[in-house]
Amino acid sequence: MKNLLLTTALIFGFATSASALEFNIGVQSGYNWSESDVTIPAYGPSNFTLDSDGWIIGGFAGIDWDMGPNWSLGIEADVNWTDADGSNLSGGGPPGELYLIEQNWNASLRARVAVDIATNTELFFFNGAACTEIDTKYSPLAGGTDSDTLQGWTTGFGHDRS
């Protein structure tokens, strides 16, 4: 019980100390690309790779807690709109169907650890959960359409100068 009270007091102290908090908010944009391996059992050995790409724009927000003279912990989230799409012949009956894939949005929630390596420069590592919505369809629409939200993870590292 004593450890629980001490841990709760420490967490509350970090969360309420205004001088130990740094809030981040902003917009981001870039280019998005992916590669999908597609298998359509109804068409026999119809396996192919489909590349999709497009622009991405969104927003992010985060909070960092100063944990000592040279390091911090944080939580970040982002939500993005994208027009990434791609197509490939599916291998279905003559003359073939066009298989289309579209990514509409993606989002992630990440934990972040950062260490200061020089004045106004830090190295950071992040890890967390990610999700995206994917729409697939055939042209002509004989095969129908499908929409699915996929879950996964995101991890990375980098440096930041302020």
Side-chain angles (χ1 to χ4, degrees):
M1 183 67 162
K2 186 177 180 182
N3 287 339
L4 177 62
L5 289 174
L6 180 60
T7 302
T8 303
L10 287 172
I11 290 171
F12 184 77
F14 286 134
T16 58
S17 173
S19 64
L21 297 178
E22 180 180 317
F23 297 92
N24 302 304
I25 190 167
V27 296
Q28 58 197 14
S29 66
Y31 204 73
N32 183 24
W33 65 92
S34 66
E35 181 179 288
S36 302
D37 294 324
V38 180
T39 302
I40 304 173
Y43 293 162
S46 179
N47 301 326
F48 57 91
T49 300
L50 191 141
D51 297 323
S52 59
D53 60 347
W55 293 101
I56 187 168
I57 187 168
F60 65 90
I63 185 170
D64 288 327
W65 288 273
D66 185 5
M67 302 302 287
N70 294 321
W71 67 287
S72 63
L73 296 175
I75 298 172
E76 301 174 330
D78 67 356
V79 176
N80 303 288
W81 169 84
T82 181
D83 70 345
D85 59 7
S87 62
N88 199 342
L89 288 176
S90 68
E97 298 169 325
L98 194 59
Y99 184 83
L100 303 141
I101 189 168
E102 297 174 348
Q103 181 184 14
N104 302 310
W105 60 266
N106 63 44
S108 67
L109 179 63
R110 305 171 299 280
R112 175 181 137 118
V113 176
V115 62
D116 296 332
I117 59 170
T119 303
N120 298 327
T121 303
E122 68 180 9
L123 293 177
F124 63 87
F125 169 79
F126 64 83
N127 194 27
C131 60
T132 188
E133 182 185 68
I134 301 290
D135 293 332
T136 58
K137 58 186 165 189
Y138 292 98
S139 180
L141 288 177
T145 64
D146 191 22
S147 182
D148 200 6
T149 301
L150 307 174
Q151 294 85 33
W153 55 274
T154 181
T155 190
F157 63 92
H159 76 87
D160 187 15
R161 293 184 56 97
S162 57

